[in-house]
């Protein structure tokens, strides 16, 4: 019985791995197709790369003008690097300034989209 459970568990892990790989391949293809890919040129995650990503993505805001929560999917083992990157981003004045400039620009784009949508509807 235990051998059977172990085989089922292994099969389930393999299926989950295949589904995950397929989903990420489709996401990568779609991102590249619309031109939103960011090439880190072999560099690890850094504030510069993160800011480049934020510049390329579509952001929504709440009624108070706060950006919607973002989810970052990272490979296993990159948790510490991601934490260090976000710490730098929020504590280094230069990165903070650049981040705020991008967010302000995205907020204006969002307001323009919302205004246009309300005029049409």
């Amino acid at each position: 019985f235990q051998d059977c459970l172990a085989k089922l568990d292994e099969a389930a892990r393999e299926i989950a791995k295949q589904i995950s790989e397929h989903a990420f391949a489709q996401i990568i293809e779609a991102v590249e197709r619309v031109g939103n890919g960011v090439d880190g040129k072999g560099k690890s995650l850094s504030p510069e790369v993160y800011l480049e990503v934020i510049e390329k993505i579509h952001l929504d805001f709440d009624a108070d003008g706060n950006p919607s929560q973002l989810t970052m999917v990272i490979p296993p083992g990159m948790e510490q690097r991601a934490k260090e990157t976000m710490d730098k981003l929020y504590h280094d004045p230069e990165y903070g300034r650049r981040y705020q400039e991008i967010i302000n620009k995205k907020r204006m784009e969002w307001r323009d989209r919302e205004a246009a949508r309300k005029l049409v509807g």
Side-chain angles (χ1 to χ4, degrees), residues 15-31:
I15 291 169
K17 178 183 174 200
Q18 290 175 8
I19 290 171
S20 174
E21 288 173 352
H22 179 69
F24 279 108
Q26 287 184 313
I27 291 169
I28 290 168
E29 180 185 324
V31 166

Side-chain angles (χ1 to χ4, degrees), residues 52-95:
E52 187 177 348
V53 169
I54 295 298
E55 282 184 300
K56 288 194 169 200
I57 64 173
H58 173 93
L59 279 180
D60 284 320
F61 294 79
D62 65 19
D64 296 324
N66 299 311
S68 57
Q69 291 282 332
L70 298 177
T71 301
M72 185 181 337
V73 178
I74 57 174
M78 287 244 342
E79 296 89 354
Q80 185 60 36
R81 182 68 186 150
K83 182 183 178 323
E84 291 168 3
T85 294
M86 299 314 287
D87 285 347
K88 264 189 194 175
L89 187 69
Y90 293 122
H91 294 104
D92 181 291
E94 179 59 22
Y95 291 131

